[in-house]
Amino acid sequence: MDARQLVDIACDEDPRAPCLWAPSDLFAELCESIRQQPNVAGVVIYRHKTIRDGGPYCDVTTRAP
């Protein structure tokens, strides 16, 4: 699975969560696949959610790493 598919699954599993954390390597891949660059705060907006870089070795999650 690619980064976008993993983020889509996480969004579907917890639709009320306002934020999502992704590992650093997947975050870069996600930004490239959705053709967005992180804003000044270092986040991208995808599917009405704020997606943040959770650092290395974290899981794609809607809970704070």
Side-chain angles (χ1 to χ4, degrees):
M1 285 189 180
D2 66 358
R4 190 174 186 167
Q5 290 172 325
L6 292 171
V7 168
D8 284 336
I9 290 169
C11 289
D12 291 340
E13 286 180 352
D14 197 354
R16 291 181 160 203
C19 300
L20 185 89
W21 284 263
S24 298
D25 55 334
L26 289 182
F27 185 75
E29 183 183 331
L30 174 70
C31 291
E32 187 177 311
S33 71
I34 62 173
R35 297 182 180 160
Q36 288 189 28
Q37 293 295 320
N39 63 14
V40 175
V43 303
V44 294
I45 306 297
Y46 176 67
R47 290 186 56 180
H48 307 290
K49 292 191 184 305
T50 303
I51 303 185
R52 302 173 185 276
D53 184 343
Y57 310 115
C58 81
D59 292 327
V60 176
T61 182
T62 56
R63 310 272 191 264

